Coordinates of all heavy atoms in Angstrom, one line a residue:
I49 N 27.7 80.5 39.0 CA 26.5 80.1 39.7 C 26.0 81.2 40.7 O 24.8 81.5 40.8 CB 26.8 78.8 40.4 CG1 26.9 77.7 39.4 CG2 25.6 78.4 41.4 CD1 27.5 76.4 40.0
G50 N 27.0 81.8 41.4 CA 26.6 82.9 42.3 C 26.0 84.1 41.6 O 25.1 84.7 42.1
G51 N 26.5 84.4 40.4 CA 26.0 85.5 39.6 C 24.6 85.2 39.1 O 23.9 86.2 38.8
C52 N 24.2 84.0 39.0 CA 22.8 83.7 38.6 C 21.8 84.0 39.7 O 20.7 84.3 39.4 CB 22.7 82.2 38.2 SG 23.5 81.7 36.7
V53 N 22.2 84.0 40.9 CA 21.3 84.3 42.0 C 21.6 85.5 42.9 O 20.9 85.8 43.8 CB 21.2 83.0 42.9 CG1 20.7 81.8 42.2 CG2 22.6 82.7 43.6
M54 N 22.7 86.2 42.5 CA 23.1 87.4 43.3 C 23.5 88.5 42.5 O 24.0 88.3 41.3 CB 24.2 86.9 44.2 CG 24.3 87.4 45.6 SD 25.7 86.6 46.4 CE 26.0 87.8 47.6
D55 N 23.5 89.7 43.0 CA 24.0 90.9 42.3 C 25.5 90.8 42.2 O 26.2 90.3 43.1 CB 23.6 92.1 43.1 CG 24.1 93.4 42.5 OD1 23.9 93.6 41.3 OD2 24.8 94.2 43.2
A56 N 26.0 91.3 41.1 CA 27.5 91.1 40.8 C 28.3 91.8 41.8 O 29.4 91.3 42.3 CB 27.8 91.7 39.4
L57 N 28.0 93.1 42.2 CA 28.8 93.8 43.2 C 28.8 93.1 44.5 O 29.9 93.0 45.1 CB 28.2 95.2 43.4 CG 28.9 96.1 44.4 CD1 30.4 96.3 43.9 CD2 28.2 97.4 44.5
A58 N 27.7 92.6 45.0 CA 27.7 91.9 46.3 C 28.5 90.6 46.2 O 29.2 90.3 47.1 CB 26.2 91.6 46.7
L59 N 28.4 89.9 45.1 CA 29.1 88.7 44.9 C 30.6 88.9 44.9 O 31.4 88.2 45.6 CB 28.7 88.0 43.6 CG 29.4 86.7 43.3 CD1 29.0 85.6 44.3 CD2 29.1 86.2 41.9
I60 N 31.1 90.0 44.3 CA 32.5 90.3 44.2 C 32.9 90.7 45.6 O 34.0 90.2 46.1 CB 32.8 91.4 43.2 CG1 32.6 90.9 41.8 CG2 34.2 92.0 43.4 CD1 32.7 91.9 40.7
M61 N 32.2 91.5 46.3 CA 32.6 92.0 47.6 C 32.6 90.8 48.6 O 33.5 90.9 49.5 CB 31.6 93.0 48.1 CG 31.6 94.3 47.4 SD 33.1 95.3 47.6 CE 32.9 95.8 49.2
L62 N 31.8 89.8 48.5 CA 31.8 88.7 49.4 C 32.9 87.7 49.1 O 33.4 87.0 50.0 CB 30.4 88.0 49.4 CG 29.3 88.8 50.1 CD1 28.0 88.1 49.8 CD2 29.6 89.0 51.6
T63 N 33.2 87.5 47.9 CA 34.1 86.4 47.5 C 35.6 86.8 47.3 O 36.4 85.9 47.4 CB 33.6 85.7 46.3 OG1 33.5 86.6 45.2 CG2 32.3 85.0 46.5
I64 N 35.8 88.0 46.9 CA 37.2 88.4 46.7 C 38.1 88.1 47.9 O 39.2 87.6 47.8 CB 37.3 89.9 46.2 CG1 36.8 89.9 44.8 CG2 38.7 90.4 46.3 CD1 37.7 89.2 43.8
P65 N 37.7 88.4 49.1 CA 38.6 88.1 50.3 C 38.9 86.6 50.4 O 39.9 86.3 51.0 CB 37.8 88.6 51.5 CG 36.8 89.6 51.0 CD 36.5 89.1 49.6
I66 N 38.1 85.8 49.9 CA 38.3 84.3 49.9 C 39.2 83.9 48.8 O 40.2 83.2 48.9 CB 37.0 83.5 49.9 CG1 36.2 83.9 51.2 CG2 37.2 82.0 49.9 CD1 34.8 83.4 51.2
F67 N 38.8 84.3 47.5 CA 39.5 83.8 46.3 C 40.8 84.5 46.0 O 41.7 83.9 45.4 CB 38.6 83.8 45.1 CG 37.4 82.8 45.2 CD1 36.1 83.1 45.0 CD2 37.7 81.5 45.6 CE1 35.1 82.2 45.1 CE2 36.7 80.6 45.7 CZ 35.4 80.9 45.4
Y68 N 40.9 85.7 46.4 CA 42.2 86.5 46.0 C 43.4 85.8 46.5 O 44.4 85.6 45.8 CB 42.0 87.9 46.4 CG 43.3 88.8 46.0 CD1 43.4 89.2 44.7 CD2 44.2 89.1 47.0 CE1 44.5 90.0 44.4 CE2 45.3 89.9 46.6 CZ 45.5 90.3 45.3 OH 46.5 91.0 44.9
P69 N 43.5 85.5 47.8 CA 44.7 84.8 48.3 C 44.9 83.4 47.6 O 46.1 83.1 47.4 CB 44.5 84.6 49.8 CG 43.4 85.6 50.2 CD 42.6 85.8 48.9
V70 N 43.9 82.7 47.3 CA 44.0 81.5 46.6 C 44.7 81.7 45.2 O 45.6 81.0 44.8 CB 42.6 80.8 46.4 CG1 42.7 79.5 45.5 CG2 42.1 80.4 47.8
V71 N 44.2 82.7 44.5 CA 44.7 82.9 43.1 C 46.1 83.4 43.2 O 47.0 83.0 42.4 CB 43.8 84.0 42.4 CG1 44.4 84.5 41.2 CG2 42.4 83.3 42.1
I72 N 46.4 84.3 44.1 CA 47.8 84.7 44.3 C 48.8 83.6 44.6 O 49.9 83.5 44.1 CB 47.9 85.9 45.3 CG1 47.1 87.1 44.8 CG2 49.3 86.3 45.6 CD1 47.5 87.6 43.5
N73 N 48.3 82.7 45.5 CA 49.0 81.5 45.9 C 49.3 80.6 44.7 O 50.3 79.9 44.7 CB 48.3 80.8 47.0 CG 49.2 80.0 47.9 OD1 50.4 80.3 48.0 ND2 48.7 79.1 48.7
L74 N 48.4 80.6 43.8 CA 48.6 79.7 42.6 C 49.5 80.4 41.5 O 49.8 79.7 40.6 CB 47.2 79.4 41.9 CG 46.3 78.5 42.8 CD1 44.9 78.5 42.1 CD2 46.9 77.1 42.9
G75 N 49.8 81.6 41.7 CA 50.8 82.3 40.8 C 50.1 83.1 39.7 O 50.8 83.5 38.8

Side-chain angles (χ1 to χ4, degrees):
I49 293 169
C52 289
V53 297
M54 215 175 156
D55 180 50
L57 178 62
L59 181 66
I60 290 172
M61 294 290 290
L62 288 173
T63 56
I64 286 296
I66 296 170
F67 290 134
Y68 182 76
V70 172
V71 168
I72 297 305
N73 206 20
L74 291 172

